[in-house]
Amino acid sequence: LLSRRQRQMCIRDRLEAVPNADYKLLLTSRYLNFETWESIAEIMQFSVQWVHELHKRALKNFGEIYGLT
C-alpha cells in the first residue's frame, strides 16, 4: 500500500501531464489542497457554477490523457 505522501506525489505527477493551466490549477486545488468550490472560484476569479463546468471538463480531459474514458 502507498502512504498518503506517496499517493499525493502520484496524483501530483499525473496532474503535471494536464496541458490546460486552468484544469491543472482546479484539479490541484481540489484534490491536493482540498480547497472548497467557493475557494477555488475565488482563486480563479470565476463563478462557482463555471468552476463546476471546468471541473467536469478537466476530469474528462484527465480521463482522456490516462485512457480512463
Side-chain angles (χ1 to χ4, degrees):
L1 294 172
L2 296 175
S3 71
R4 182 178 177 170
R5 177 156 167 66
Q6 288 171 319
R7 284 191 309 267
Q8 285 183 322
M9 289 174 58
C10 181
I11 293 167
R12 186 177 313 277
D13 288 345
R14 289 190 176 221
L15 290 176
E16 285 300 316
V18 174
N20 182 297
D22 284 339
Y23 293 173
K24 189 181 300 187
L25 175 59
L26 190 157
L27 294 172
T28 300
S29 296
R30 185 67 179 173
Y31 296 109
L32 290 177
N33 301 334
F34 307 103
E35 299 282 350
T36 64
W37 297 117
E38 292 79 11
S39 177
I40 295 168
E42 189 174 317
I43 290 166
M44 298 183 79
Q45 299 182 340
F46 294 145
S47 70
V48 173
Q49 292 81 7
W50 184 242
V51 167
H52 283 291
E53 178 61 29
L54 280 179
H55 180 253
K56 182 173 82 173
R57 294 177 187 192
L59 288 179
K60 184 175 187 279
N61 180 256
F62 186 86
E64 289 168 352
I65 292 169
Y66 289 102
L68 303 173
T69 56

